[in-house]
Amino acid sequence: MMLSRRHFCCAGALASTAIFGRAFAADQCAAPTQQRQAAMSPDDALKELKAGNERFLTQNMRNCDLLTQVRATAGGQFPSAVIIGCIDSRVPPELVFDQRIGDIFSARIAGNVADDDVVGSAEFATKLAGAKLIVVLGHGECGAVKGAIDGAELGMLTNLLKRIKPAIEANGSAPGEHSSKNKDFVQQVATTNARLAAQGLAKDSSVLRDLVAQGELKIVAAMHDVATGRITFLE
């Protein structure tokens, strides 16, 4: 079969598109560098996470060679953001934000509470390791929040749940039954809990507070919807 000039033109266009696609994918999968981290602003880091969640929602997540990223980050790490999230299995930060090896620091604790160890970890990730953004990521249907509302007690978990009490008290005038059976109340407390944790980071840490004052760090709260995967930032 003879091929016309049109066929060759189309083949050339497809080849160019394929090359561009591979180059774009390679750039998207490139491990963060110190130069890239230094050039990034807190707002840039926030935009990246928002874009990542949109890719997750539209099933357009990056397909990267993770072993290549392992090798690329072996000599150092330069993440742009810190995610302080719950241990809930339905809210893995790297997946819901479409992030890969070396992209983010991830601290996970029941109820996404910011205890002393979490605050210290955030200080390391920002002041020493250069991250520009901290996101306290709460989520709907949170078991820790439900337990705190119902006054659950279990070993050392009892003290952890006490850190959620201020969020419960802040919603003391909310309508309806104040129990884990009231989904609206649980959502309100979980949202307040994320906000208070974000506010407490700068309040409790002079290191983080100074970085915020200098414009080198932004701290925000966000909520993940376990039914849809969508993340709403509480800015």
Side-chain angles (χ1 to χ4, degrees):
M1 179 178 68
M2 295 183 63
L3 297 177
S4 67
R5 180 178 298 179
R6 176 173 174 271
H7 285 104
F8 282 113
C9 289
C10 291
L14 289 173
S16 297
T17 300
I19 292 171
F20 175 79
R22 287 194 295 270
F24 179 76
D27 180 65
Q28 290 289 296
C29 291
T33 63
Q34 187 172 18
Q35 292 77 12
R36 179 176 178 273
Q37 183 195 57
M40 182 173 288
S41 71
D43 285 333
D44 290 335
L46 183 56
K47 288 177 183 177
E48 285 210 352
L49 291 185
K50 289 181 177 180
N53 183 239
E54 189 61 32
R55 290 194 300 271
F56 176 76
L57 292 172
T58 57
Q59 298 185 0
N60 191 32
M61 298 171 71
R62 294 175 296 170
N63 183 19
C64 300
D65 185 336
L66 297 182
L67 286 180
T68 294
Q69 291 186 322
V70 168
R71 292 189 287 271
T73 56
Q77 59 171 338
F78 307 99
S80 59
V82 185
I83 311 299
I84 298 174
C86 184
I87 62 169
D88 195 289
S89 64
R90 298 166 292 181
V91 198
E94 287 83 359
L95 294 183
V96 297
F97 284 116
D98 189 31
Q99 301 298 295
R100 297 296 180 263
I101 293 171
D103 288 340
I104 61 171
F105 288 105
S106 180
R108 302 185 67 178
I109 182 171
N112 45 271
V113 301
D115 64 10
D116 290 347
D117 293 334
V118 169
V119 175
S121 297
E123 290 174 339
F124 162 77
T126 54
K127 181 66 175 180
L128 298 182
K132 305 296 182 68
L133 172 72
I134 299 176
V135 178
V136 177
L137 183 61
H139 67 93
E141 299 295 333
C142 181
V145 168
K146 291 179 179 180
I149 290 173
D150 290 344
E153 296 185 356
L154 177 66
M156 297 184 72
L157 177 62
T158 304
N159 285 330
L160 187 153
L161 295 183
K162 288 180 180 179
R163 299 188 69 92
I164 302 177
K165 291 295 184 182
I168 300 172
E169 295 169 358
N171 288 280
S173 60
E177 181 183 4
H178 289 190
S179 78
S180 62
K181 296 178 181 178
N182 185 342
K183 290 189 175 184
D184 289 338
F185 184 65
V186 171
Q187 183 70 18
Q188 286 180 258
V189 173
T191 301
T192 302
N193 183 54
R195 287 187 187 276
L196 291 180
Q199 294 168 5
L201 286 169
K203 179 181 177 182
D204 297 339
S205 169
S206 60
V207 173
L208 300 179
R209 187 163 60 249
D210 289 346
L211 289 172
V212 171
Q214 294 161 13
E216 298 178 11
L217 175 67
K218 190 169 189 174
I219 304 174
V220 299
M223 288 296 292
H224 176 270
D225 186 336
V226 295
T228 66
R230 181 170 298 279
I231 293 170
T232 302
F233 285 85
L234 312 175
E235 301 177 71

